[in-house]
Amino acid sequence: MRHLLFTSDGEQALQAVMQRLPVLAFDFDGTLAPIVARPDEAHVPATVSQGLARLAKHLPVAIITGRGVADVRPRLGFEPRYVIGNHGAEDPEVGPPSAASQALDALRHRIAARQAVLDRAGVAVEDKQYSLALHYRLAPDAGEALVCIEDLLQGIDPALKRFGGKCVVNIVATGLPDKGDALCALVRRAGADSAVFIGDDVNDEAVFMRADPHWLTVKIGRDDPLSRAMFFLDSDAELVAVLERMLALRGLDR
């Protein structure tokens, strides 16, 4: 992670990519929608959705999220060209990933058997069909919740992989597309020649690591000094200004 986006270097990079034909891609939680204690309460603020809707009339806009597609769509407040869910694995135009849900079935049975223990620890289970999320944001003791999660995941099927996030542990089937795979596929599908991607969490690093030099990648927050994003923003509150600048660079601010 190199520079703040709102610098001369960031402005130059944004100008360069907006002069091309980019896919404009965004994470949802912590990027378009502020992080909230209860995931069901998340939504895109009107100022953000309005800017995205204007951009979407002229450029391919994509949402690439850890949420399921059906869950995130009604929270957007506008209609993007593409919505990719489950960390890149769920693409409605491609169809369901083969055997992804079945690979999780054994873990689902294990969760059901330990549901009371998870509830006491404050671990909320979110089943997104092609991935599972174990949330502990509301746990009274985060350390205890993590111990409970570790115990649950001990010796899980090697056909599954796990990765962390902001007060969440995610589990997906191995071999499925990640966010980097998803965005590369969308660039090809849209006939684009570059991409912008803005995200804030661990699973967004898959895009940051895959980005071509003429892409623009931005991480929200400075919490990971090892992030591979090209630029950063201090908070999701700055996203409105980024969208306004994108519109201006395409002559759409009038």
Side-chain angles (χ1 to χ4, degrees):
M1 188 161 53
R2 299 196 298 239
H3 304 293
L4 183 66
L5 184 61
F6 292 123
T7 59
S8 58
D9 286 340
E11 171 65 16
Q12 186 176 21
L14 187 58
Q15 286 180 9
V17 75
M18 293 304 292
Q19 288 171 0
R20 304 176 71 102
L21 180 60
V23 171
L24 306 180
F26 304 86
D27 174 42
F28 180 75
D29 292 285
T31 301
L32 296 185
I35 295 288
V36 292
R38 302 181 188 280
D40 282 348
E41 297 175 356
H43 68 279
V44 178
T47 50
V48 174
S49 63
Q50 288 164 7
L52 289 166
R54 292 170 64 193
L55 284 165
K57 292 178 181 178
H58 303 274
L59 289 169
V61 172
I63 309 304
I64 308 179
T65 175
R67 290 181 181 247
V69 170
D71 175 34
V72 79
R73 246 187 224 287
R75 304 179 187 279
L76 298 175
F78 80 107
E79 188 59 41
R81 185 178 304 183
Y82 307 108
V83 180
I84 308 297
N86 277 278
H87 312 286
E90 184 187 7
D91 184 341
E93 295 187 25
V94 173
S98 59
S101 185
Q102 291 133 339
L104 292 163
D105 281 346
L107 181 56
R108 289 188 176 100
H109 293 314
R110 188 184 294 194
I111 288 170
R114 305 187 189 194
Q115 191 65 63
V117 175
L118 293 167
D119 289 344
R120 284 196 298 271
V123 177
V125 180
E126 183 182 9
D127 191 333
K128 297 177 280 189
Q129 188 175 359
Y130 307 118
S131 68
L132 295 172
L134 305 174
H135 298 275
Y136 58 94
R137 184 174 299 278
L138 296 178
D141 184 328
E144 180 183 339
L146 282 170
V147 169
C148 184
I149 290 171
E150 289 299 324
D151 182 57
L152 173 72
L153 299 181
Q154 189 72 30
I156 62 168
D157 191 325
L160 300 176
K161 66 177 180 180
R162 55 177 287 181
F163 56 91
K166 294 180 177 177
C167 295
V168 65
V169 176
N170 300 286
I171 305 96
V172 301
T174 58
L176 294 182
D178 59 24
K179 286 189 174 188
D181 298 321
L183 185 50
C184 288
L186 289 183
V187 169
R188 293 191 297 269
R189 191 184 307 168
D193 63 3
S194 61
V196 174
F197 180 78
I198 303 179
D200 77 305
D201 213 343
V202 173
N203 59 351
D204 299 314
E205 291 295 327
V207 179
F208 302 154
M209 290 188 289
R210 290 281 300 276
D212 288 342
H214 52 276
W215 290 16
L216 174 65
T217 57
V218 182
K219 178 175 169 56
I220 293 180
R222 308 192 195 199
D223 53 312
D224 182 6
L226 300 179
S227 174
R228 299 286 295 274
M230 299 170 181
F231 295 90
F232 67 89
L233 297 170
D234 281 320
S235 79
D236 54 63
E238 295 178 310
L239 187 59
V240 172
V242 176
L243 298 178
E244 289 174 349
R245 190 65 190 130
M246 287 178 170
L247 287 163
L249 289 170
R250 298 290 295 199
L252 303 173
D253 55 335
R254 293 178 287 277

Short mmCIF file of all heavy atoms in Angstrom, two decimals, residues 14 36 45 54 68 74 76 93-94 104 113 118 138 142 183 188 198 233 237:
data_model
loop_
_atom_site.label_atom_id
_atom_site.label_comp_id
_atom_site.label_asym_id
_atom_site.label_seq_id
_atom_site.Cartn_x
_atom_site.Cartn_y
_atom_site.Cartn_z
N LEU A 14 -5.88 8.15 -10.96
CA LEU A 14 -7.32 8.15 -11.21
C LEU A 14 -7.64 8.73 -12.58
O LEU A 14 -8.48 8.19 -13.32
CB LEU A 14 -8.04 8.93 -10.11
CG LEU A 14 -9.58 8.88 -10.12
CD1 LEU A 14 -10.08 7.45 -10.02
CD2 LEU A 14 -10.15 9.73 -8.99
N VAL A 36 -21.73 -2.20 10.29
CA VAL A 36 -22.73 -2.07 11.36
C VAL A 36 -22.67 -3.31 12.23
O VAL A 36 -22.14 -4.36 11.83
CB VAL A 36 -24.15 -1.88 10.79
CG1 VAL A 36 -24.28 -0.53 10.10
CG2 VAL A 36 -24.50 -3.00 9.81
N PRO A 45 -25.54 4.30 1.65
CA PRO A 45 -26.12 5.63 1.82
C PRO A 45 -26.56 6.22 0.49
O PRO A 45 -25.96 5.94 -0.56
CB PRO A 45 -24.96 6.43 2.43
CG PRO A 45 -24.06 5.41 3.04
CD PRO A 45 -24.18 4.20 2.17
N ARG A 54 -25.29 7.12 -11.41
CA ARG A 54 -24.90 7.98 -12.52
C ARG A 54 -23.74 7.38 -13.29
O ARG A 54 -23.72 7.40 -14.53
CB ARG A 54 -24.56 9.38 -11.99
CG ARG A 54 -25.75 10.15 -11.45
CD ARG A 54 -25.33 11.40 -10.73
NE ARG A 54 -24.69 12.36 -11.63
CZ ARG A 54 -23.99 13.43 -11.23
NH1 ARG A 54 -23.83 13.65 -9.93
NH2 ARG A 54 -23.46 14.24 -12.11
N GLY A 68 -24.15 -12.99 -0.15
CA GLY A 68 -24.83 -13.63 -1.25
C GLY A 68 -25.45 -12.58 -2.15
O GLY A 68 -25.79 -11.48 -1.71
N PRO A 74 -30.83 -5.88 -2.80
CA PRO A 74 -31.78 -4.88 -2.33
C PRO A 74 -31.17 -3.83 -1.40
O PRO A 74 -31.85 -2.86 -1.06
CB PRO A 74 -32.84 -5.72 -1.60
CG PRO A 74 -32.15 -6.98 -1.24
CD PRO A 74 -31.16 -7.23 -2.32
N LEU A 76 -28.47 -2.04 -2.21
CA LEU A 76 -27.61 -1.16 -3.00
C LEU A 76 -28.24 0.19 -3.30
O LEU A 76 -27.54 1.20 -3.35
CB LEU A 76 -27.22 -1.86 -4.30
CG LEU A 76 -26.42 -3.15 -4.16
CD1 LEU A 76 -26.21 -3.80 -5.52
CD2 LEU A 76 -25.08 -2.88 -3.48
N GLU A 93 -24.38 -14.98 -13.82
CA GLU A 93 -24.30 -15.20 -15.26
C GLU A 93 -23.55 -16.48 -15.62
O GLU A 93 -23.62 -16.95 -16.75
CB GLU A 93 -23.64 -13.99 -15.94
CG GLU A 93 -24.46 -12.71 -15.82
CD GLU A 93 -23.89 -11.58 -16.63
OE1 GLU A 93 -23.19 -11.85 -17.63
OE2 GLU A 93 -24.13 -10.42 -16.27
N VAL A 94 -22.83 -17.03 -14.66
CA VAL A 94 -22.08 -18.27 -14.89
C VAL A 94 -22.83 -19.48 -14.35
O VAL A 94 -22.75 -20.58 -14.90
CB VAL A 94 -20.68 -18.17 -14.23
CG1 VAL A 94 -19.95 -19.50 -14.30
CG2 VAL A 94 -19.87 -17.07 -14.90
N LEU A 104 -19.66 -27.96 2.11
CA LEU A 104 -19.90 -27.33 3.40
C LEU A 104 -20.85 -28.12 4.29
O LEU A 104 -21.03 -27.78 5.46
CB LEU A 104 -20.47 -25.92 3.19
CG LEU A 104 -19.52 -24.90 2.57
CD1 LEU A 104 -20.30 -23.70 2.04
CD2 LEU A 104 -18.49 -24.43 3.59
N ALA A 113 -24.79 -29.32 15.65
CA ALA A 113 -24.56 -30.06 16.89
C ALA A 113 -24.01 -29.17 18.00
O ALA A 113 -24.17 -29.48 19.18
CB ALA A 113 -23.60 -31.23 16.63
N LEU A 118 -22.15 -22.18 20.46
CA LEU A 118 -21.90 -20.98 19.67
C LEU A 118 -22.78 -19.83 20.13
O LEU A 118 -22.31 -18.68 20.24
CB LEU A 118 -22.16 -21.28 18.19
CG LEU A 118 -21.20 -22.28 17.53
CD1 LEU A 118 -21.75 -22.73 16.17
CD2 LEU A 118 -19.81 -21.67 17.35
N LEU A 138 -20.70 -9.11 17.97
CA LEU A 138 -21.57 -8.86 19.13
C LEU A 138 -21.25 -9.78 20.31
O LEU A 138 -21.98 -9.77 21.30
CB LEU A 138 -23.04 -9.01 18.73
CG LEU A 138 -23.55 -8.00 17.69
CD1 LEU A 138 -25.01 -8.29 17.34
CD2 LEU A 138 -23.41 -6.57 18.21
N ALA A 142 -14.66 -11.36 22.83
CA ALA A 142 -14.18 -11.75 21.50
C ALA A 142 -13.18 -12.90 21.58
O ALA A 142 -13.17 -13.79 20.72
CB ALA A 142 -13.52 -10.55 20.81
N LEU A 183 -13.00 -10.39 -10.76
CA LEU A 183 -12.83 -9.12 -11.45
C LEU A 183 -12.10 -9.31 -12.78
O LEU A 183 -12.46 -8.67 -13.78
CB LEU A 183 -12.10 -8.12 -10.56
CG LEU A 183 -11.97 -6.71 -11.14
CD1 LEU A 183 -13.30 -6.16 -11.66
CD2 LEU A 183 -11.37 -5.75 -10.11
N ARG A 188 -12.84 -9.04 -18.81
CA ARG A 188 -12.95 -9.70 -20.13
C ARG A 188 -14.38 -9.68 -20.64
O ARG A 188 -14.63 -9.37 -21.81
CB ARG A 188 -12.44 -11.14 -20.02
CG ARG A 188 -10.95 -11.27 -19.75
CD ARG A 188 -10.48 -12.70 -19.93
NE ARG A 188 -11.11 -13.61 -18.98
CZ ARG A 188 -10.61 -13.91 -17.79
NH1 ARG A 188 -9.47 -13.35 -17.39
NH2 ARG A 188 -11.23 -14.76 -16.99
N ILE A 198 -12.23 -0.93 -5.18
CA ILE A 198 -12.11 -0.34 -3.85
C ILE A 198 -12.69 -1.33 -2.85
O ILE A 198 -13.82 -1.79 -2.99
CB ILE A 198 -12.86 1.01 -3.76
CG1 ILE A 198 -12.34 1.98 -4.82
CG2 ILE A 198 -12.69 1.61 -2.36
CD1 ILE A 198 -13.01 3.34 -4.83
N LEU A 233 -7.67 5.05 1.27
CA LEU A 233 -8.51 6.11 1.82
C LEU A 233 -8.55 5.92 3.33
O LEU A 233 -8.42 4.80 3.83
CB LEU A 233 -9.93 6.05 1.27
CG LEU A 233 -10.12 6.25 -0.24
CD1 LEU A 233 -11.55 5.92 -0.65
CD2 LEU A 233 -9.78 7.68 -0.63
N ALA A 237 -16.19 7.13 4.43
CA ALA A 237 -16.85 8.43 4.27
C ALA A 237 -16.25 9.22 3.10
O ALA A 237 -16.90 10.12 2.57
CB ALA A 237 -16.75 9.24 5.55
#
